[in-house]
């Protein structure tokens, strides 16, 4: 006769449902997030007393040396690509380095004038 007690079964909780939930959340956040591309070069934004919302799909980047970049294009190619995307309702967002000399900014603004953009908004940080 065997008088040993029967082996007790451990109550095992499955971790599979928790893993499924974590993966579903991961997929949800990856699908709903908007990944922004990195800035083409370091830009120290100018300081402003008040801030408004600079909302635009078209962003033109200006470095402190006057280099221009639009999307992945630089120089004259950037100007050509930007000009092809502007219509009378377009608002252009300008990310300008604070160290850019004012005459170079004036040249850029003159170059943007004949493109027909509705307005140009300069991005700044609040004081």
């Amino acid at each position: 006769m065997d008088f040993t007690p029967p082996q007790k079964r451990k109550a095992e909780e499955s971790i599979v449902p928790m893993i499924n939930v974590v993966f579903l959340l991961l997929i949800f956040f990856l699908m709903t997030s908007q990944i922004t591309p990195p800035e083409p070069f370091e830009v120290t934004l100018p300081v402003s007393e008040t801030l408004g919302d600079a909302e635009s799909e078209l962003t033109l980047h200006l470095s402190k040396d006057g280099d221009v970049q639009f999307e992945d294009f630089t120089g004259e190619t950037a100007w050509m690509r930007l000009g092809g995307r502007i219509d009378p309702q377009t608002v252009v967002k300008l990310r300008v380095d604070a160290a850019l000399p004012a005459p170079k900014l004036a040249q850029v603004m003159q170059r943007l004038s004949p493109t027909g953009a509705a307005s140009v908004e300069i991005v700044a940080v609040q004081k």
Side-chain angles (χ1 to χ4, degrees):
M1 270 200 186
D2 187 18
F3 291 108
T4 60
Q7 290 182 343
K8 291 187 178 181
R9 297 174 101 192
K10 286 194 231 178
E12 293 183 26
E13 293 183 16
S14 178
I15 196 166
V16 173
M18 185 177 74
I19 293 172
N20 288 342
V21 169
V22 169
F23 278 125
L24 286 173
L25 286 172
L26 178 66
I27 290 169
F28 172 76
F29 287 117
L30 285 174
M31 296 299 290
T32 58
S33 66
Q34 182 178 12
I35 299 173
T36 57
E39 298 294 324
F41 36 74
E42 185 82 21
V43 173
T44 306
L45 296 175
V47 178
S48 173
E49 293 286 328
T50 59
L51 283 181
D53 293 331
E55 297 287 330
S56 175
E57 294 178 10
L58 304 179
T59 304
L60 185 65
H61 299 271
L62 288 170
S63 72
K64 62 183 174 186
D65 301 324
D67 299 329
V68 177
Q69 181 157 359
F70 174 68
E71 294 174 344
D72 292 332
F73 304 99
T74 58
E76 287 301 316
T77 310
W79 285 110
M80 289 177 11
R81 294 290 289 198
L82 179 66
R85 300 262 315 267
I86 293 179
D87 58 40
Q89 290 82 27
T90 303
V91 176
V92 177
K93 183 167 54 173
L94 201 55
R95 289 187 58 90
V96 181
D97 195 293
L100 181 73
K104 285 191 179 183
L105 179 58
Q107 289 173 353
V108 169
M109 297 301 276
Q110 285 177 347
R111 186 125 190 220
L112 280 170
S113 180
T115 61
S119 67
V120 177
E121 297 178 351
I122 296 178
V123 180
V125 293
Q126 193 166 12
K127 194 174 196 179

